[in-house]
């Protein structure tokens, strides 16, 4: 006995193909009824098993496709999440770079302002020192004039302090 539906169908086909023509009829033939019915019964008996196997294979195929689709969706979702994360990190990096640039600009502006303020302060301090030295110099000149006048020395003194020491020694002689 044959094992598969296809084999049984092939046997039935051969039986019909090899059957002898009925006299005076071109498209009719005579087949062994019992043998043909036995083949058809065997085919009917095999159909439930073949159909069950086909259904099982279709179910496996459907489950495989569903599993592949779930896996593809998971991979796609992970890729989207990673892309969003990378984009967020890129945005954070860009914001940090922008904030850094702003801070550098503010620091440079503050540095220029501090330099300008320091220069103004130094300029003012030097001006006040110069004025104080000039005032002290005038007082020294005035004191020398008074000293000479008190010592009886002639004329105004217009030389530097070293000359004052020289003049003072000359005065003592």
């Amino acid at each position: 006995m044959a094992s598969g539906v296809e084999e049984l169908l092939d046997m039935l086909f051969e039986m019909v193909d090899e059957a002898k023509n009925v006299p005076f009829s071109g498209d009719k033939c005579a087949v062994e009824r019992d043998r043909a019915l036995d083949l058809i019964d065997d085919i009917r008996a095999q159909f439930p098993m073949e159909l069950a196997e086909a259904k099982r294979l279709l179910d496996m195929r459907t489950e495989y496709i569903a599993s592949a689709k779930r896996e593809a969706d998971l991979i796609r979702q992970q890729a989207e999440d990673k892309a969003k994360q990378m984009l967020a990190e890129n945005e954070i990096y860009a914001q940090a770079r922008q904030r850094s640039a702003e801070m550098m600009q503010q620091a440079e502006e503050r540095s220029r302002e501090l330099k300008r303020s320091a220069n103004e302060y130094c300029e003012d301090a030097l001006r006040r020192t110069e004025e104080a030295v000039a005032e002290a110099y005038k007082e020294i000149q005035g004191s020398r004039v008074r000293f000479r006048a008190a010592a009886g020395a002639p004329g105004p003194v217009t030389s530097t302090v070293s000359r004052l020491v020289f003049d003072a020694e000359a005065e003592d002689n």
Side-chain angles (χ1 to χ4, degrees):
M1 183 167 171
S3 63
V5 173
E6 282 187 41
E7 215 175 300
L8 292 170
L9 284 172
D10 286 342
M11 289 170 63
L12 183 60
F13 180 81
E14 284 178 25
M15 182 189 291
V16 172
D17 190 42
E18 293 173 0
K20 294 184 180 181
N21 287 340
V22 176
F24 305 112
S25 171
D27 60 343
K28 294 183 183 176
C29 65
V31 290
E32 293 179 45
R33 173 180 287 174
D34 288 338
R35 190 169 166 224
L37 289 174
D38 286 342
L39 284 173
I40 291 173
D41 283 342
D42 288 344
I43 291 170
R44 281 186 181 160
Q46 290 288 321
F47 260 135
M49 289 189 299
E50 293 281 331
L51 288 174
E53 180 66 17
K55 184 174 180 342
R56 186 182 70 77
L57 288 173
L58 281 173
D59 289 344
M60 285 176 53
R61 178 182 161 261
T62 303
E63 178 57 32
Y64 181 76
I65 290 171
S67 173
K69 184 176 180 186
R70 283 191 302 272
E71 187 175 343
D73 288 343
L74 178 65
I75 291 170
R76 182 185 50 78
Q77 185 62 42
Q78 288 173 342
E80 286 177 359
D81 292 345
K82 182 68 175 175
K84 287 177 185 175
Q85 179 186 8
M86 290 172 69
L87 182 61
E89 288 173 359
N90 194 25
E91 287 179 17
I92 290 170
Y93 177 71
Q95 289 173 353
R97 267 195 5 223
Q98 180 181 1
R99 180 68 180 132
S100 171
E102 290 171 1
M103 291 173 71
M104 287 297 293
Q105 183 180 5
Q106 289 173 353
E108 287 172 0
E109 288 174 6
R110 180 71 177 142
S111 173
R112 283 191 296 271
E113 178 63 27
L114 287 173
K115 254 188 206 176
R116 188 188 58 75
S117 294
N119 286 343
E120 286 178 2
Y121 175 79
C122 286
E123 180 66 29
D124 185 53
L126 288 173
R127 181 189 50 77
R128 283 183 282 130
T129 302
E130 184 180 19
E131 289 173 355
V133 167
E135 185 64 34
Y137 182 68
K138 285 180 186 175
E139 282 186 35
I140 290 171
Q141 282 181 333
S143 294
R144 282 185 73 202
V145 167
R146 285 190 301 276
F147 174 73
R148 287 192 179 233
V157 177
T158 58
S159 64
T160 61
V161 174
S162 62
R163 180 149 183 220
L164 176 66
V165 172
F166 180 76
D167 287 344
E169 290 175 3
E171 296 274 333
D172 286 335
N173 288 335

